[in-house]
Amino acid sequence: MNTPPNFRLSLSLLKFKNTLLKDLLLITPPFTQLNTPYPATAYLKGFLNTKNISAHQMDLGIEVILELFSKQSLQFMFMEAYENHKITSANCQRIYALKDDYLAVLDNVILFLQGKNQTFARQICTENFLPKASRFEQLEDMDWAFGFMGIQDKAKHLATLYLEDLSDFIIECIDENFGFSRYAERLGQSANSFDELYNYLQYDTTHIDNITLQILEEELKTTQPKLVCFSVPFPGNLYSAFRCAQHIKANHPYIKVAMGGGFPNTELRSVTDVRVFEFFDYITLDDGELPIELLHQHLCHTKSDQSAEFKRTFVLENNKVVYKNTSSKPDYKQSEIGTPDYSDLLLDKYISVIEIANPMHSLWSDGRWNKLTMAHGCYWGKCTFCDISLDYIKIYEPIAAKLLVDRMEELISQTNETGFHFVDEAAPPALMKALALEIIKRKLIVTWWTNIRFEKNFTQDLCYLLKASGCIAVSGGLEVASDRLLALIDKGVTVEQVARVTQNFTQANIMVHSYLMYGYPTQTIQETIDSLEMVRQLFETGILQSGFWHQFALTAHSPIGLQPSDYSINPNYKEITFANNDIAFTDQTGIDHSKFSFGLKKSLFNFMHGIGFELPLQEWFDFKIPKTQIKKDYIFSCLEQEPNFSIKPTAKIVWLGGTPFVTEQSKTKKGVTWHSLQLTFHDKRETFQISLEKDKGEWFLQALPKLSPKQDKLASFAQLKADFETNLDCFELFWFSKPIQKLKEFGLLAI
């Protein structure tokens, strides 16, 4: 067995810094995203700033990735795999044979994916520059896609395949638990008992563990915290959090260790296994601001366990796990938690990758995004598969648009990044509208995207407004494309409504991604095939650009999990001493829904690339399926609408364009002279003109400044109508006339 080198000697991440004492150290354990920090610690640090509590944060995941993919580390792994006879597959034999070629370009590839040395893209795109193993085999099928990609994106995609080849080598020869966005995920999934994870933690540390713990140890020596807080969002972060906590307890027993985040919030609400507290002193649930503030107060001020107050916190007392919620203080309002603080994080070290040639998918992996939340919780809060009984969804609290844009400006100043991902459960349309108006009013140039519900309030005009403010994409749940099942889910939408809303976004040049589901309770085989046909048509008509299928999972805190008999399923309950969320079950239909997985995902992959629409659905499956009962033009017929000559009186009217040049014209016929105004408008795309009768044109010109988004209060349709009809007749005829309708194409919106 080779002795692993001290990877902290790698120049890529050496930190020459003096001891910087901090009360708290906030850590996201490996692994989440390569391209941008997971925001939980930044949110928490922003709050702690408002309380003058000193804290340092680190994304351990990106630091480990950069060390793992350093030349020193890769040389060690090649040698380790060879000497231990781990290189067995033809693919890994090829990678090992080309090891010098992989090592030669490694540093340059990483720098390129970090946004440095962009001219290197041309070299990467040279046919024989990068060594190629199995991940490149798909390129023959995807050569056509590169015609739609710029050279930088093509190079990112090729560099990503290069890293994925190395990842395959690591998984097969070094550590089967490795993944770029997860580590040892299986140990955290459906772990009703702590036994497997606990036993795994007794084994020797892995190569990736050693890198992780060396980086952690350096940070502990630098910050010397009193409390280390691990934010664990997903099962793929859990093992590393425990391994790090184990190291702290063994080497720094005076440091207290806490865990919070998405995983404990959903999975550890019933924890009783005392062995968990060999690693962690505290496990907090739900919003972390007040629980962490109280832990800081306890550890740094009160000291006494008897006088300490806790908020939604598990502790070990008398060898028993105890849940403490002794503080009467209410949780902080969203307006009180401060702006996320991304300081300390290595923002220039993140790696942007493009896994497939699909523009929507690249949003998750390409580019650095500042993450914010428009509203705490979900304004709908009814979907039967969702954990709506938990506070992070149940408690809905929107943030004022002005405060949101204040925070955006603060983050731009802090990070020099103008891209924002709003990580809401479902962003409310009214707040999105207010946010867009505020962004436009302040003349901010930003790029943003978020999660939504496909509800009817997303009119075409609202979508145009969102686009004007910088919105480039939305993602939302179509789930099962069946009206019967959507009603059972209590989704509050129909397939027809989803089609119209996605068309509105697409026509505004906003990309649309849809979360798709199969295997929902009582779903029949026919409904699965019909759902696929709906999805095929949505892509074929061009109103859906991206999607992802996932099989229904029963969770303990959802309405289905709480009342399974209402949905004709039989849960297989187990004794819970550790994690409790995903529940195995049998559907009374007796259908094995998992057999549809490959066909659904393969067809979707093709649809996303604009091919395969003409193929019968049977082509995607290697077993007999029924013919779809959906008409071939169903989605197209949903989109055929009669012109709408109605408008809500309360609708606000906004003009996104500029001031026109005006010339007066006259025309005489049979002794009668008509006077008109010709208005010439210039926008970014073109110059266009409209003509209005002089009196109506003069009214419109005096009304136009009032419609500017710079106004503190926009005029409503009813207010404009009343003003118009003071001296003129029938505002509706004027509003729906051809000249005004033409203006609607260029930014005259009713929202």
Side-chain angles (χ1 to χ4, degrees):
M1 181 75 177
N2 294 298
T3 302
N6 182 349
F7 293 100
R8 297 310 287 160
L9 295 178
S10 168
L11 292 178
S12 63
L13 282 177
L14 263 180
K15 301 175 185 176
F16 300 103
K17 55 186 181 182
N18 297 320
T19 299
L20 184 64
L21 299 180
K22 297 288 183 179
D23 288 343
L24 273 63
L25 176 59
L26 314 175
I27 299 177
T28 304
F31 295 109
T32 49
Q33 288 179 271
L34 295 176
N35 62 308
T36 199
Y38 193 78
T41 61
Y43 277 44
L44 194 53
K45 183 173 170 64
F47 164 74
L48 295 172
N49 290 343
T50 70
K51 299 296 178 181
N52 294 316
I53 295 174
S54 63
H56 185 85
Q57 64 180 324
M58 67 184 304
D59 180 353
L60 199 47
I62 191 61
E63 299 199 32
V64 171
I65 285 289
L66 293 176
E67 288 295 342
L68 184 66
F69 286 89
S70 66
K71 281 187 178 180
Q72 186 180 15
S73 171
L74 196 56
Q75 284 172 330
F76 172 77
M77 288 188 285
F78 281 138
M79 180 174 61
E80 186 79 1
Y82 179 79
E83 293 186 358
N84 287 285
H85 307 289
K86 296 290 187 178
I87 307 170
T88 56
S89 72
N91 186 55
C92 286
Q93 288 172 4
R94 174 174 174 77
I95 293 171
Y96 182 78
L98 296 171
K99 63 182 184 300
D100 290 341
D101 297 293
Y102 278 98
L103 288 165
V105 298
L106 180 61
D107 290 346
N108 286 316
V109 167
I110 295 295
L111 283 171
F112 170 73
L113 291 175
Q114 289 174 331
K116 302 156 188 172
N117 192 20
Q118 293 300 287
T119 55
F120 192 55
R122 297 184 179 277
Q123 190 76 297
I124 291 174
C125 292
T126 303
E127 186 171 348
N128 293 319
F129 182 71
L130 290 178
K132 298 176 177 66
S134 64
R135 293 295 181 130
F136 285 81
E137 291 172 1
Q138 60 187 298
L139 282 180
E140 287 184 12
D141 297 330
M142 295 180 64
D143 273 347
W144 61 269
F146 288 148
F148 300 102
M149 300 173 76
I151 191 169
Q152 292 291 324
D153 282 354
K154 179 179 178 179
K156 282 184 183 179
H157 182 58
L158 294 172
T160 301
L161 297 178
Y162 160 89
L163 288 182
E164 288 178 335
D165 274 342
L166 291 175
S167 170
D168 291 341
F169 184 89
I170 293 170
I171 291 168
E172 182 177 326
C173 304
I174 302 296
D175 191 338
E176 64 181 0
N177 290 314
F178 175 70
F180 278 116
S181 59
R182 61 190 61 85
Y183 186 58
E185 183 179 48
R186 65 178 182 83
L187 296 174
Q189 290 179 319
S190 304
N192 302 136
S193 167
F194 188 47
D195 289 347
E196 184 179 10
L197 178 55
Y198 184 80
N199 291 336
Y200 205 86
L201 289 163
Q202 310 313 310
Y203 297 160
D204 290 341
T205 53
T206 66
H207 175 63
I208 293 173
D209 287 338
N210 291 334
I211 294 175
T212 302
L213 299 180
Q214 286 177 23
I215 298 172
L216 173 65
E217 180 62 26
E218 179 183 309
E219 197 63 64
L220 292 171
K221 290 177 179 176
T222 301
T223 56
Q224 298 185 19
K226 298 179 177 66
L227 173 66
V228 176
C229 303
F230 287 93
S231 178
V232 181
F234 308 115
N237 306 96
L238 187 69
Y239 165 78
S240 286
F242 270 89
R243 184 61 93 180
C244 290
Q246 182 184 51
H247 173 86
I248 294 171
K249 288 299 177 189
N251 297 280
H252 307 275
Y254 52 88
I255 297 177
K256 298 296 184 182
V257 187
M259 173 168 57
F263 183 87
N265 290 350
T266 54
E267 307 261 359
L268 299 185
R269 306 184 80 88
S270 305
V271 62
T272 59
D273 196 319
V274 297
R275 294 175 298 174
V276 173
F277 290 85
E278 294 176 19
F279 304 84
F280 293 96
D281 300 285
Y282 311 103
I283 296 176
T284 68
L285 301 182
D286 303 326
D287 293 352
E289 290 85 5
L290 184 55
I292 294 300
E293 181 188 18
L294 293 174
L295 287 180
H296 174 265
Q297 182 178 320
H298 167 50
L299 296 174
C300 298
H301 300 292
T302 61
K303 303 294 185 184
S304 168
D305 288 340
Q306 286 72 30
S307 60
E309 287 190 328
F310 295 93
K311 193 76 172 181
R312 296 185 303 273
T313 303
F314 285 107
V315 298
L316 189 68
E317 284 187 351
N318 301 319
N319 203 35
K320 188 174 182 180
V321 179
V322 177
Y323 179 69
K324 292 201 164 189
N325 195 24
T326 54
S327 174
S328 60
K329 289 184 67 174
D331 281 301
Y332 288 95
K333 297 291 184 183
Q334 293 300 297
S335 59
E336 301 171 328
I337 61 174
T339 301
D341 182 351
Y342 284 89
S343 63
D344 310 328
L345 299 174
L346 308 179
L347 298 182
D348 62 339
K349 300 289 186 181
Y350 284 86
I351 298 173
S352 289
V353 297
I354 296 180
E355 296 171 8
I356 68 169
N358 178 283
M360 186 74 198
H361 270 237
S362 69
L363 287 178
W364 276 276
S365 60
D366 184 23
R368 246 276 302 132
W369 299 97
N370 294 319
K371 300 199 177 188
L372 280 173
T373 307
M374 292 190 210
H376 181 286
C378 179
Y379 71 96
W380 179 248
K382 297 180 183 179
C383 297
T384 54
F385 61 81
C386 188
D387 293 336
I388 60 176
S389 65
L390 300 183
D391 284 353
Y392 80 95
I393 294 177
K394 180 173 65 176
I395 299 176
Y396 174 66
E397 184 192 345
I399 302 173
K402 288 185 177 181
L403 180 56
L404 272 174
V405 182
D406 286 345
R407 291 177 178 176
M408 292 174 74
E409 290 185 317
E410 193 173 335
L411 282 173
I412 291 170
S413 176
Q414 179 191 131
T415 67
N416 293 317
E417 296 283 356
T418 58
F420 290 86
H421 177 196
F422 290 96
V423 293
D424 294 62
E425 298 296 321
L431 183 50
M432 289 174 70
K433 176 174 72 175
L435 175 71
L437 287 169
E438 189 66 23
I439 290 171
I440 294 169
K441 181 179 179 180
R442 300 195 196 185
K443 297 183 178 180
L444 282 184
I445 304 300
V446 294
T447 304
W448 62 276
W449 59 293
T450 190
N451 309 310
I452 64 163
R453 290 180 63 248
F454 293 121
E455 65 159 83
K456 61 184 179 182
N457 288 335
F458 287 111
T459 62
Q460 191 167 54
D461 280 9
L462 176 55
C463 292
Y464 280 125
L465 177 74
L466 298 176
K467 178 63 179 178
S469 72
C471 180
I472 57 165
V474 293
S475 57
L478 170 56
E479 319 306 353
V480 182
S482 156
D483 285 345
R484 181 188 79 84
L485 293 171
L486 285 170
L488 194 60
I489 291 172
D490 202 1
K491 192 71 183 176
V493 301
T494 63
V495 175
E496 179 178 348
Q497 180 178 311
V498 170
R500 290 181 176 177
V501 169
T502 55
Q503 182 187 44
N504 290 342
F505 278 110
T506 300
Q507 288 180 342
N509 202 25
I510 295 174
M511 290 189 293
V512 184
H513 172 88
S514 182
Y515 302 106
L516 305 165
M517 183 189 294
Y518 62 100
Y520 189 84
T522 75
Q523 183 173 359
T524 64
I525 292 175
Q526 185 67 59
E527 285 173 322
T528 299
I529 301 307
D530 289 348
S531 182
L532 175 57
E533 173 60 17
M534 293 286 202
V535 170
R536 185 194 70 80
Q537 292 185 31
L538 287 166
F539 276 96
E540 187 176 34
T541 53
I543 58 176
L544 194 60
Q545 293 78 49
S546 178
F548 183 80
W549 286 104
H550 65 276
Q551 188 169 348
F552 168 79
L554 177 63
T555 59
H557 312 292
S558 67
I560 303 178
L562 296 172
Q563 298 291 336
S565 61
D566 292 350
Y567 299 87
S568 303
I569 61 171
N570 299 312
N572 179 19
Y573 293 117
K574 296 180 180 179
E575 181 183 1
I576 305 298
T577 58
F578 186 52
N580 178 31
N581 195 32
D582 288 0
I583 302 172
F585 69 96
T586 55
D587 189 331
Q588 292 178 15
T589 63
I591 298 169
D592 176 14
H593 293 286
S594 62
K595 69 180 182 179
F596 294 95
S597 176
F598 181 79
L600 292 172
K601 293 176 181 178
K602 182 180 180 181
S603 61
L604 183 64
F605 182 85
N606 282 269
F607 298 160
M608 284 195 295
H609 291 91
I611 56 178
F613 298 123
E614 75 288 352
L615 297 176
L617 298 184
Q618 180 64 65
E619 289 291 321
W620 306 115
F621 301 92
D622 58 3
F623 55 90
K624 186 68 176 176
I625 61 168
K627 291 185 177 180
T628 181
Q629 295 179 354
I630 305 300
K631 293 180 179 179
K632 294 295 184 183
D633 63 347
Y634 179 80
I635 295 298
F636 180 79
S637 65
C638 290
L639 302 178
E640 288 185 319
Q641 300 181 52
E642 294 295 324
N644 183 10
F645 292 111
S646 64
I647 188 169
K648 290 182 179 179
T650 55
K652 303 298 184 184
I653 309 301
V654 61
W655 167 242
L656 299 179
T659 303
F661 290 96
V662 182
T663 57
E664 185 172 346
Q665 296 178 329
S666 62
K667 184 178 181 182
T668 302
K669 188 175 182 181
K670 294 182 179 181
V672 180
T673 301
W674 290 271
H675 295 276
S676 63
L677 297 182
Q678 181 172 287
L679 280 58
T680 302
F681 293 87
H682 299 269
D683 79 346
K684 295 174 185 176
R685 296 171 295 169
E686 60 183 278
T687 299
F688 63 96
Q689 296 173 332
I690 65 169
S691 291
L692 297 171
E693 295 173 36
K694 184 178 179 181
D695 52 354
K696 294 176 182 177
E698 288 174 342
W699 176 87
F700 183 70
L701 288 171
Q702 63 84 25
L704 207 54
K706 303 174 186 175
L707 309 183
S708 167
K710 299 175 185 176
Q711 298 292 326
D712 289 332
K713 196 170 183 180
L714 290 172
S716 69
F717 183 83
Q719 288 169 329
L720 286 181
K721 172 180 166 66
D723 187 52
F724 181 90
E725 293 181 351
T726 302
N727 297 303
L728 300 165
D729 294 328
C730 195
F731 182 63
E732 283 81 358
L733 282 177
F734 171 76
W735 181 259
F736 291 105
S737 65
K738 284 186 178 180
I740 300 302
Q741 291 303 295
K742 185 172 185 178
L743 282 181
K744 291 191 70 176
E745 299 173 16
F746 293 91
L748 182 62
L749 308 177
I751 54 176

